[in-house]
Amino acid sequence: EKLLHDFLLAVEQLYRAVAALGGLCIGLFCFLYLVKLTGDQFGMMQSLALLFFVVGLGINVSALGFAPILIGSGAFSRCARANIIFRVFWISITSVAFIYPGAGIVYLSLSYLLSVSLYWILHKGTYNELRRRVQVSDPRIDYFKVLKPLWGSVWRIGAVVMSAFVITRGNVYLAGLFTTVEIAAKYSLSLQLFFALNGLITVVQPYLLTLLSGYVAEGKQYQFVRVSGGYVVLSTITYLAAGLLMLVLLDIFFKQMVDRYLLNYSYLIVIYFIVGLEHFHSICAVILTTENRVPFVKSALFSAIGVVLMSIFAGGVLGCGISGFLLSQSLIQIAYNNWKWPLEYLRLRKRMSS
């Protein structure tokens, strides 16, 4: 119990430090970016929105630190319930901005802050219950000794997460530099619409990965192949069907909202397929980590660099605008990640089935 106690406290402190440091760095970057983008228009409301967003981002990072610990302790259902509540609450209050014209950037940032705060409270409550079950006589901790074995995995996961952010959402910042603020905002909301749908569909993924890791450790290859295959097929079909339904509803009932807040309909269709391919290869790739390896670190880093460079060239130098940003994002992924990780998953299934 001493080791578990030290591990829990060390990880909690680590994520607090990462949240604080990351919040400061991202806050400074966003401030400089927005000042350059808006110039004299960056005033009190924009500063308040940025503050809400940065604080929310730090709270979100801190909350994410609890999730793997709680899942590893067996609190699957409570973690899944917290994820569902968080995502539904966030989408519900954010959707007001699409309906009520008076809701601006401050409201969007505040809705994000409130949502991640609720997420943190739900996870923190479960984490405190776990802490109370682990009582030791000596509460002192050697943080370096506890965290050193984790560093090899931590930096790899961090590199993949940051690269994924650049690949999927980094173009929004470039769009702000090479197009107008209005187009960049529409581009951001259009991407967010489909990634929010993707997030809802993959809400059970942490539980599933824990289950699959258990199958690997216990040598239950048949169960691994059956459950993982079912999840890949079901989640992909669900995204395609739900995304198609969303496109139809937007076209029939929400044309004015699309014109006001989102990119035009043809761009939405392209984003639908881009996020769909991203969804498919991502779940195939993450299943590979159940063998206690992260084989996609280099590809994630090179893909992120490729997306940025090609976006600058296509969207900025050639002046293709949003078409150039979407083209760079899709081509880089199709060139490697979209086929590589589904292929590796099929090889894993074949090995498990033999």
Side-chain angles (χ1 to χ4, degrees):
E1 288 198 349
K2 171 62 176 171
L3 179 60
L4 178 58
H5 171 270
D6 291 354
F7 175 77
L8 291 175
L9 288 184
V11 170
E12 183 180 6
Q13 294 299 322
L14 173 65
Y15 271 86
R16 282 181 181 176
V18 170
L21 181 61
L24 287 174
C25 293
I26 293 175
L28 179 61
F29 168 77
C30 290
F31 175 75
L32 296 175
Y33 173 82
L34 290 174
V35 168
K36 177 178 176 57
L37 198 64
T38 60
D40 296 336
Q41 296 179 357
F42 189 82
M44 179 61 70
M45 300 301 289
Q46 289 77 12
S47 301
L48 191 60
L50 178 60
L51 176 63
F52 288 157
F53 172 74
V54 171
V55 173
L57 192 64
I59 293 174
N60 192 27
V61 171
S62 180
L64 290 174
F66 297 132
I69 298 173
L70 299 178
I71 292 172
S73 69
F76 307 120
S77 59
R78 295 188 65 172
C79 284
R81 185 165 63 247
N83 268 304
I84 293 172
I85 293 173
F86 156 62
R87 295 179 191 275
V88 171
F89 180 77
W90 179 39
I91 292 174
S92 299
I93 62 175
T94 302
S95 62
V96 175
F98 293 98
I99 302 172
Y100 176 58
I105 188 173
V106 175
Y107 177 82
L108 288 172
S109 298
L110 181 59
S111 66
Y112 174 70
L113 174 60
L114 293 175
S115 301
V116 296
S117 298
L118 175 62
Y119 183 56
W120 184 88
I121 291 171
L122 293 172
H123 273 332
K124 181 64 173 177
T126 309
Y127 174 81
N128 286 340
E129 291 180 14
L130 177 62
R131 280 275 309 275
R132 285 193 291 269
R133 295 203 304 264
V134 182
Q135 300 294 333
V136 295
S137 56
D138 183 11
R140 292 174 298 179
I141 305 174
D142 185 347
Y143 287 102
F144 180 78
K145 181 180 178 180
V146 176
L147 294 176
K148 184 179 179 181
L150 301 176
W151 174 245
S153 298
V154 168
W155 81 263
R156 288 180 174 85
I157 294 173
V160 170
V161 170
M162 291 303 297
S163 298
F165 177 83
V166 172
I167 292 170
T168 57
R169 294 173 175 84
N171 278 353
V172 173
Y173 296 96
L174 294 175
L177 295 176
F178 295 114
T179 63
T180 65
V181 176
E182 180 184 2
I183 292 176
K186 288 185 174 183
Y187 182 29
S188 176
L189 288 174
S190 300
L191 284 174
Q192 192 61 46
L193 193 65
F194 289 97
F195 277 114
L197 175 63
N198 178 66
L200 281 175
I201 293 171
T202 57
V203 70
V204 299
Q205 190 164 283
Y207 165 73
L208 182 85
L209 292 178
T210 304
L211 183 65
L212 293 178
S213 296
Y215 288 154
V216 171
E218 297 169 10
K220 297 180 178 179
Q221 297 180 342
Y222 173 76
Q223 289 89 336
F224 178 92
V225 171
R226 186 167 175 267
V227 173
S228 65
Y231 174 67
V232 170
V233 173
L234 182 61
S235 64
T236 303
I237 292 176
T238 302
Y239 170 81
L240 292 175
L244 184 60
L245 176 62
M246 184 168 64
L247 286 172
V248 171
L249 293 176
L250 286 174
D251 186 48
I252 297 176
F253 299 107
F254 301 99
K255 283 187 177 181
Q256 289 186 348
M257 186 192 77
V258 172
D259 294 337
R260 181 182 298 170
Y261 297 112
L262 304 175
L263 298 174
N264 66 52
Y265 202 74
S266 59
Y267 284 135
L268 293 181
I269 294 175
V270 173
I271 293 174
Y272 162 69
F273 284 108
I274 290 176
V275 177
L277 290 172
E278 184 79 25
H279 169 88
F280 179 58
H281 90 247
S282 295
I283 58 177
C284 290
V286 79
I287 288 174
L288 301 177
T289 63
T290 57
E291 290 193 307
N292 199 26
R293 62 192 181 99
V294 186
F296 40 82
V297 176
K298 290 182 180 180
S299 69
L301 290 171
F302 284 120
S303 296
I305 295 172
V307 167
V308 170
L309 293 179
M310 189 172 179
S311 294
I312 292 174
F313 179 74
V317 177
L318 296 181
C320 296
I322 296 299
S323 298
F325 297 130
L326 292 175
L327 180 67
S328 65
Q329 187 174 347
S330 58
L331 286 183
I332 293 295
Q333 294 292 71
I334 290 172
Y336 190 79
N337 291 318
N338 283 163
W339 63 265
K340 171 65 175 177
W341 305 118
L343 179 62
E344 288 297 319
Y345 169 67
L346 289 176
R347 289 173 176 170
L348 175 62
R349 281 177 57 89
K350 184 177 180 180
R351 178 157 46 86
M352 290 280 190
S353 302
S354 62

